[in-house]
């Protein structure tokens, strides 16, 4: 059996229990075809870069799967006809990641290096203001007519 990472995006207007029900449905399909589902991560509701089927946000879910190709084809076939699924993608991998994925790792703001006041070089203000002169400096300023 091959190892896969399968991710899908579900509509934003679903409730969290409905998303969990979708996950359990596809998990059942995989297990019925002789596969195993390892890690399941629900990344939650995240904004999309662009609209997909009039949705600006979507629930992201990723599953680590050890299953035959026929099982993944059946899952994808069912997702194609499910109106609650916006997009899906299956990738064949050599090995599954250990621990949480990069999306689930909590990154503290305290871990980032802080800038001290002395880190930024001092730039004195120019006498003519802090903006450079306009390119079309010949054009005189004309107030709007009322």
């Amino acid at each position: 059996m091959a190892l896969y990472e399968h991710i899908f995006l579900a509509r934003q207007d679903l409730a969290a229990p409905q998303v969990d029900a979708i996950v359990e449905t596809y998990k059942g399909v995989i297990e019925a075809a002789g596969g195993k589902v390892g890690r399941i991560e629900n990344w939650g509701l995240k904004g999309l870069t662009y609209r997909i089927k009039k949705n600006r946000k979507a629930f992201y879910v990723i599953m680590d799967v050890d299953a035959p190709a026929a099982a993944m084809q059946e899952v994808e076939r069912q997702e194609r006809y499910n109106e609650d699924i916006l997009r899906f993608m299956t990738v064949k991998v050599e090995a599954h990641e250990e621990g949480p994925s990069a999306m689930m790792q909590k990154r503290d703001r305290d871990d980032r290096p802080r800038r001290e006041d002395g880190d930024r070089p001092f730039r004195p203000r120019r006498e003519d203001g802090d903006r450079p002169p306009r390119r079309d400096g010949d054009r005189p300023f004309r107030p709007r007519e009322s």
Side-chain angles (χ1 to χ4, degrees), residues 23-53:
V23 170
E24 289 302 317
T25 301
Y26 296 132
K27 184 177 176 183
V29 170
I30 291 167
E31 289 173 352
K36 294 185 301 186
V37 177
R39 175 185 62 168
I40 297 174
E41 287 185 2
N42 189 342
W43 293 346
L45 189 65
K46 296 198 171 290
L48 299 171
T49 304
Y50 54 90
R51 282 186 178 185
I52 300 174
K53 298 180 184 175

Side-chain angles (χ1 to χ4, degrees), residues 5-120:
E5 284 185 0
H6 180 74
I7 186 167
F8 66 88
L9 281 63
R11 286 188 333 193
Q12 65 184 358
D13 57 344
L14 296 176
Q18 290 174 310
V19 175
D20 294 338
I22 291 171
V23 170
E24 289 302 317
T25 301
Y26 296 132
K27 184 177 176 183
V29 170
I30 291 167
E31 289 173 352
K36 294 185 301 186
V37 177
R39 175 185 62 168
I40 297 174
E41 287 185 2
N42 189 342
W43 293 346
L45 189 65
K46 296 198 171 290
L48 299 171
T49 304
Y50 54 90
R51 282 186 178 185
I52 300 174
K53 298 180 184 175
K54 299 182 182 179
N55 290 285
R56 293 183 181 272
K57 294 182 178 184
F59 283 98
Y60 285 68
V61 178
I62 187 166
M63 302 187 306
D64 287 345
V65 180
D66 182 10
M72 294 311 299
Q73 288 173 352
E74 177 61 21
V75 168
E76 289 182 352
R77 186 189 70 79
Q78 289 186 16
E79 286 179 338
R80 242 179 242 113
Y81 297 114
N82 189 340
E83 293 178 356
D84 294 334
I85 303 296
L86 301 176
R87 292 279 193 276
F88 60 88
M89 182 173 67
T90 305
V91 179
K92 189 173 182 179
V93 294
E94 295 291 324
H96 292 298
E97 283 185 16
E98 294 296 324
S101 65
M103 293 292 288
M104 293 300 288
Q105 292 174 355
K106 184 177 180 187
R107 301 195 190 269
D108 286 331
R109 292 183 178 266
D110 298 336
D111 293 345
R112 293 188 290 169
R114 292 184 174 219
R115 290 185 115 171
E116 300 297 327
D117 291 337
D119 287 350
R120 189 176 293 185

